[in-house]
Amino acid sequence: MKLSYNWLKDYLKCDLSAQQIADAMTSIGIEVDGVEEQESIPGGLAGVVVAKVLECENHPDSDHLHITKVDTGSGEPLQVVCGAPNVAAGQKVLFAQIGTVLPGDFKIKKSKIRGVESLGMICAEDELGIGNSHDGIMVLPEDTPLGLSAKEYLGLQTQAVIEYEITANRVDAASHWGVARDLYAYMKLNGIPCELVKPDVSGLPDGGAQGGLDIELLDAEGAPRYCGVTIEGVKVAPSPEWLQKKLMSIGLKPINNIVDISNFVLFELGQPLHTFDADRVTGGKVIVRRAAQGEIIKTLDGVERKLCDKDMVIANQDGPMCIAGVFGGEESGVSDSTVNVFVESAYFDPASVRRSSKSQGLQTDASFRFERGADPQVSDYALKRAAHLILECAGGKICGPIKELYPKPIERKQIELDYGRIEKLIGIHIGREVIETILEALCYDFIEKGENGAKVAAPSYMVDVTRECDVIEEILRIYGYNNVPLPQHMKMSVNATPKPDPEAIKNGISNFLAANGFVEIMNNSLTKGEYYDKLSTFPAERCVRIVNPLSQDLNVMRQTLILSGLEVIAYNLNRQMSSLRTFEYGSVYQRLPEKDSQKLEGYEEHQCFTLMMTGAADKSWRTENAKSSYFLLKGYFELLLKRYGIDIYQLFTDAAPSDIFAEGMVYTLPGSKQTLATLGTVNPALARRFGVKQPVFALEINWPALFTLIKRGKVAFSELPRFPEVRRDLALLLDESVSYAQLRALAFKQARKLLKQVGLFDVYRGDKIPQGKKQYALSFTIQDPERTLTDQDTERLMDKLLNAFKSEFGAQLR
């Protein structure tokens, strides 16, 4: 948000500089991003100086151009071609030198005009941005000093603009008056001379007891308070200069006097207004109601929007004119031909405005304030302020009385305060006088006062102040957190860290993956519902759906991290990043089926680690390209499990679901049906839905299941072996149905004491291998912890293993 220092000082009379104001704002909880000095004319007319026209002759090839000689007082006279009819020798003028950038981003360059070289430009008012006249150049008084800068001659001033942020509960600070009110309390407490001046709205001309548009309020829950006034005979025109400058100082573009006044009051008081063309309000009545289901309105941006029966609208007898508190309608808006206007100032229900804003995808300055809770008591004051300004800037007269409907006035919260408890919570003694000074400056009303406490009514603009602790926060904010000294000793409770520590393990896994070339990614938990329409593993009916989604691309909670991972891969492939290794840790969500019923009830959330690979590594003269593959990813999975003492071959396996994976495995925990991980090659049809044409390999690990396995593991220490190990290899001819896992399990069953490791280092199918057969080359590492093995010991063990393979699997030695 932007705050104009000069505008702020209209309400807060003080001698503090813009930087001091910014420091004070930060001290009271309004975070300032920075202070920027803005020129009244962009660029400050740097490079424009006072010059004298020494000579002026007609251009030989033009009937309206002149060739002049110009003296800037800093060197040789310059030749300039000028088209102004009033240019003449002896004049003092404002001259833009080469390199000057004029308003409109117009840069002065060396040029040739009808064959004559021109080294600058003699300027008119509109070219300098100081007026609208283009009848001729500006002619200055004869005594104007030569070489004087245009900025100094014109008295151009800079003004400070403060960039700041507010938290969701501080919408009261989203205006110049709101910030001035807070700063006044701070300055008053700290003895800084200041005066808070609120704009006077008294003396509004009487419009009579009759006349003007009537108001009908059909839904007081959606619009607890609604005010309006009709003004006839206005003239829509550009705003006066003072109003335009104020709006431009905070980055707003002036439109016309009527619209600009609404914006001015919004940023002055924080109260959104809306102005209707009164002649377009059919039926002579403004109706505040809920929209009919499917009702259509065309908004100011030219978009036709379909409304639901929960949207609040301002309507006439023919239909809605605007979405209440959100956005105006095109047909009832103010135009250049508008003569009579109806100005609205209301308090709308925050939840209703937020629902309409999100469902329509509209975030406006009005909805920003209404959905956070505007001040319900400022509606009539803001309306009178706007009416005064319209009469001043656009003429016209009030027609009829100010109309107001406020069926159930919103009561201010009454709160009991205990001064001793306040000081105990703050941590220091600040005294009763300080507490009461701060609260009075913040517009709290004291209903009762006592020595040890008080009963106060919270100001209506503080929508989140409902309890004593909220009041304490306001007191401490103005008193200053920096004024609370730190004690010499601080006490705190220390919680025992669980063993194993889940956070430490998560970080360890992330570090392991990063060290192996994987890049961590983070995606939104919200995703597109249509991704799940054709999936049976993650069916659409199991999706947790968002009631009011920001868009149809973010309408469900994700059931898996794989789909968002494919989005990341597609994004990078489209930017020439063909080799990717990514991992993500995050939550997934599902609706759960009720037992013995098809009805889906309840929700489930758990965390996952998802690893994805695609493409080959970058080319290198030292190594061959390592292409991504199922087995490469499986190797990383196996290494990860080994890191935490888990044997992958002790897990149960099954085929991976075909809608997600073309081929792959599901690993489940021993003795249960809980899935630990799913690993495989992503189904090409699924990858193509995301625009990915190259093979992708994915691994999704169920974090709760993995943590369960890690907790079961027990770390054991043993002495390093003193005797050497022996390695032997076997080449076996086997049926295709025999797996390496079966061979490994049988080998350890036969020789658990001496067998340390089994490895598969070659698989062969082809020449001289019968149909339905394959050749496995296995390595065996053997070691006795108590003695050195002899050749006879090793041969006996290998014979035992070979015989077991023959009898169990029909293996043949090659």
Side-chain angles (χ1 to χ4, degrees):
M1 287 187 174
K2 290 186 176 182
L3 184 85
S4 167
Y5 172 69
N6 291 344
W7 190 351
L8 177 72
K9 293 190 72 174
D10 289 346
Y11 319 113
L12 185 67
K13 307 297 183 181
C14 68
D15 294 329
L16 296 188
S17 67
Q19 187 59 55
Q20 288 172 320
I21 290 286
D23 294 340
M25 288 171 64
T26 300
S27 176
I28 60 177
I30 304 173
E31 183 181 354
V32 172
D33 294 331
V35 180
E36 178 187 357
E37 291 290 335
Q38 285 189 353
E39 304 277 359
S40 56
I41 296 177
L45 298 182
V48 180
V49 297
V50 175
K52 183 175 182 179
V53 180
L54 301 178
E55 300 175 8
C56 181
E57 299 176 355
N58 292 330
H59 194 294
D61 294 330
S62 172
D63 58 0
H64 69 281
L65 295 177
H66 303 86
I67 302 173
T68 66
K69 293 280 187 173
V70 174
D71 180 17
T72 63
S74 60
E76 293 292 325
L78 302 172
Q79 179 174 279
V80 179
V81 177
C82 179
N86 64 331
V87 64
Q91 292 175 335
K92 292 285 183 71
V93 295
L94 287 176
F95 175 67
Q97 303 173 87
I98 291 175
T100 301
V101 179
L102 296 178
D105 201 28
F106 179 64
K107 187 173 184 179
I108 304 299
K109 301 177 181 178
K110 181 179 178 180
S111 61
K112 277 192 175 183
I113 301 175
R114 300 282 181 92
V116 177
E117 188 176 58
S118 182
L119 302 176
M121 185 171 82
I122 304 173
C123 300
E125 282 185 5
D126 63 334
E127 293 164 337
L128 296 173
I130 59 174
N132 297 317
S133 173
H134 195 70
D135 295 335
I137 59 170
M138 287 183 64
V139 179
L140 310 182
E142 290 184 6
D143 59 351
T144 307
L146 202 63
L148 185 69
S149 70
K151 180 177 181 179
E152 188 176 352
Y153 173 76
L154 296 171
L156 300 182
Q157 296 180 345
T158 61
Q159 63 171 322
V161 175
I162 300 170
E163 289 266 5
Y164 71 104
E165 301 289 340
I166 60 171
T167 53
N169 65 326
R170 290 301 316 281
V171 71
D172 60 286
S175 66
H176 286 74
W177 173 253
V179 174
R181 181 173 49 206
D182 267 15
L183 288 170
Y184 172 72
Y186 169 83
M187 293 180 188
K188 187 175 180 181
L189 179 66
N190 290 279
I192 301 172
C194 64
E195 181 185 358
L196 189 64
V197 181
K198 194 170 186 178
D200 183 16
V201 297
S202 63
L204 189 68
D206 186 5
Q210 302 294 327
L213 297 177
D214 291 327
I215 301 171
E216 183 177 5
L217 180 59
L218 299 182
D219 194 316
E221 288 187 4
R225 187 178 192 185
Y226 192 89
C227 309
V229 66
T230 304
I231 303 177
E232 294 181 339
V234 302
K235 183 179 180 181
V236 178
S239 296
E241 184 179 357
W242 70 265
L243 180 54
Q244 292 192 38
K245 284 184 175 180
K246 276 188 164 49
L247 295 179
M248 288 189 293
S249 70
I250 58 172
L252 293 182
K253 181 181 179 182
I255 298 173
N256 60 54
N257 47 8
I258 303 298
V259 175
D260 291 349
I261 287 168
S262 294
N263 288 331
F264 175 82
V265 174
L266 171 66
F267 288 95
E268 178 186 52
L269 302 174
Q271 171 64 28
L273 304 176
H274 190 71
T275 307
F276 301 90
D277 187 326
D279 295 327
R280 298 186 183 183
V281 182
T282 58
K285 183 190 296 183
V286 174
I287 305 169
V288 186
R289 61 173 173 83
R290 298 281 179 182
Q293 186 67 35
E295 199 167 14
I296 301 295
I297 181 174
K298 190 173 185 180
T299 46
L300 287 169
D301 55 0
V303 177
E304 287 194 352
R305 302 180 185 275
K306 184 180 291 186
L307 305 174
C308 74
D309 56 7
K310 294 181 180 179
D311 293 323
M312 285 294 298
V313 296
I314 312 302
N316 56 31
Q317 69 174 13
D318 294 332
M321 298 187 293
C322 80
I323 305 173
V326 181
F327 207 32
E330 188 176 69
E331 295 181 2
S332 62
V334 173
S335 65
D336 292 342
S337 60
T338 296
V339 176
N340 306 314
V341 296
F342 176 81
V343 186
E344 160 199 287
S345 180
Y347 172 75
F348 296 113
D349 174 56
S352 177
V353 172
R354 178 172 175 80
R355 184 164 49 240
S356 297
S357 173
K358 297 306 179 186
S359 64
Q360 296 295 337
L362 289 169
Q363 181 68 52
T364 62
D365 288 324
S367 67
F368 176 86
R369 286 157 178 80
F370 277 130
E371 67 187 34
R372 286 162 175 78
D375 182 358
Q377 305 305 333
V378 81
S379 302
D380 57 338
Y381 174 82
L383 183 63
K384 292 175 182 178
R385 175 68 166 153
H388 267 289
L389 292 170
I390 289 174
L391 296 180
E392 176 188 335
C393 301
K397 64 177 182 177
I398 304 291
C399 180
I402 290 178
K403 309 288 178 70
E404 178 179 8
L405 293 176
Y406 198 7
K408 295 180 180 180
I410 298 172
E411 299 292 335
R412 293 168 64 177
K413 297 289 189 301
Q414 295 187 7
I415 304 166
E416 298 276 356
L417 302 180
D418 183 308
Y419 292 160
R421 191 161 51 237
I422 289 174
E423 292 182 337
K424 183 178 180 181
L425 190 59
I426 291 176
I428 59 171
H429 172 73
I430 63 174
R432 171 185 168 184
E433 288 186 5
V434 170
I435 293 173
E436 292 180 356
T437 298
I438 291 173
L439 295 180
E440 287 172 353
L442 290 175
C443 304
Y444 283 79
D445 287 339
F446 281 83
I447 301 169
E448 299 174 5
K449 279 188 179 183
E451 287 295 324
N452 300 317
K455 185 177 183 180
V456 298
S460 57
Y461 68 83
M462 289 188 175
V463 294
D464 68 324
V465 175
T466 58
R467 302 166 297 168
E468 184 185 50
C469 59
D470 299 325
V471 179
I472 296 171
E473 182 183 352
E474 294 301 308
I475 294 170
L476 186 54
R477 183 171 63 82
I478 300 300
Y479 181 76
Y481 291 98
N482 292 337
N483 293 327
V484 179
L486 288 174
Q488 291 183 346
H489 302 284
M490 298 184 70
K491 297 178 181 179
M492 65 183 70
S493 58
V494 179
N495 296 324
T497 304
K499 298 293 184 181
D501 182 0
E503 290 302 319
I505 293 173
K506 290 175 191 174
N507 290 333
I509 293 172
S510 298
N511 291 337
F512 167 80
L513 295 172
N516 281 281
F518 287 82
V519 177
E520 184 172 10
I521 61 174
M522 287 184 286
N523 287 293
N524 199 330
S525 294
L526 299 176
T527 187
K528 190 182 296 187
E530 67 180 49
Y531 286 164
Y532 298 93
D533 289 344
K534 298 179 181 180
L535 299 181
S536 57
T537 307
F538 304 107
E541 58 268 21
R542 294 280 186 90
C543 287
V544 179
R545 298 193 175 272
I546 307 302
V547 177
N548 291 316
L550 295 173
S551 72
Q552 292 306 305
D553 289 343
L554 301 170
N555 60 350
V556 300
M557 306 291 280
R558 62 189 178 191
Q559 295 190 58
T560 175
L561 303 183
I562 292 175
L563 302 185
S564 53
L566 286 171
E567 287 182 326
V568 172
I569 288 174
Y571 182 89
N572 282 273
L573 290 177
N574 290 336
R575 286 156 180 79
Q576 310 303 316
M577 297 291 292
S578 59
S579 178
L580 296 166
R581 293 185 181 187
T582 68
F583 77 94
E584 180 175 10
Y585 174 81
S587 295
V588 294
Y589 313 82
Q590 260 194 345
R591 295 181 66 188
L592 295 178
E594 187 180 355
K595 289 185 178 179
D596 304 321
S597 171
Q598 294 300 313
K599 184 180 179 182
L600 293 174
E601 290 186 355
Y603 300 93
E604 190 263 345
E605 172 187 353
H606 68 269
Q607 292 72 43
C608 291
F609 270 101
T610 296
L611 285 64
M612 303 189 76
M613 299 178 66
T614 187
D618 294 336
K619 293 182 179 180
S620 171
W621 62 271
R622 295 181 295 109
T623 59
E624 295 183 4
N625 291 351
K627 292 185 178 180
S628 299
S629 68
Y630 168 88
F631 292 104
L632 183 59
L633 186 57
K634 179 176 179 289
Y636 286 118
F637 180 42
E638 188 172 350
L639 283 174
L640 179 61
L641 294 181
K642 278 185 178 180
R643 186 183 183 93
Y644 295 99
I646 302 169
D647 186 355
I648 193 173
Y649 298 103
Q650 299 300 316
L651 303 174
F652 296 138
T653 58
D654 200 354
S658 59
D659 57 336
I660 303 293
F661 296 99
E663 57 181 0
M665 303 292 290
V666 176
Y667 294 88
T668 55
L669 299 187
S672 76
K673 295 182 179 180
Q674 186 177 12
T675 299
L676 171 65
T678 307
L679 166 69
T681 305
V682 174
N683 192 315
L686 177 62
R688 282 195 296 271
R689 288 175 59 185
F690 293 84
V692 178
K693 298 179 182 179
Q694 65 188 48
V696 179
F697 309 94
L699 165 67
E700 189 155 86
I701 304 171
N702 183 346
W703 164 249
L706 177 61
F707 189 61
T708 298
L709 275 182
I710 292 173
K711 286 193 293 185
R712 290 179 188 174
K714 294 182 180 180
V715 177
F717 297 90
S718 62
E719 184 183 3
L720 288 173
R722 293 180 295 167
F723 302 99
E725 62 183 30
V726 179
R727 172 172 165 154
R728 291 289 187 271
D729 299 336
L730 284 178
L732 302 175
L733 187 64
L734 300 158
D735 292 336
E736 283 283 4
S737 60
V738 179
S739 69
Y740 165 69
Q742 291 173 307
L743 296 170
R744 185 180 182 280
L746 180 59
F748 276 105
K749 183 178 179 181
Q750 294 295 321
R752 181 168 301 276
K753 182 181 178 181
L754 299 181
L755 189 59
K756 299 301 178 185
Q757 188 174 337
V758 179
L760 174 65
F761 64 89
D762 188 44
V763 179
Y764 179 70
R765 298 177 180 88
D767 188 33
K768 298 182 181 180
I769 301 297
Q771 188 72 23
K773 298 283 187 177
K774 61 185 175 183
Q775 177 183 291
Y776 272 2
L778 302 172
S779 65
F780 301 88
T781 302
I782 307 164
Q783 188 178 46
D784 191 324
E786 299 176 355
R787 64 187 182 88
T788 300
L789 292 172
T790 64
D791 289 342
Q792 291 80 6
D793 295 330
T794 304
E795 293 303 324
R796 277 197 300 271
L797 180 59
M798 295 305 297
D799 289 342
K800 182 179 180 181
L801 293 176
L802 181 58
N803 291 331
F805 293 148
K806 287 179 178 179
S807 61
E808 189 73 24
F809 303 116
Q812 300 177 36
L813 183 64
R814 292 279 290 174

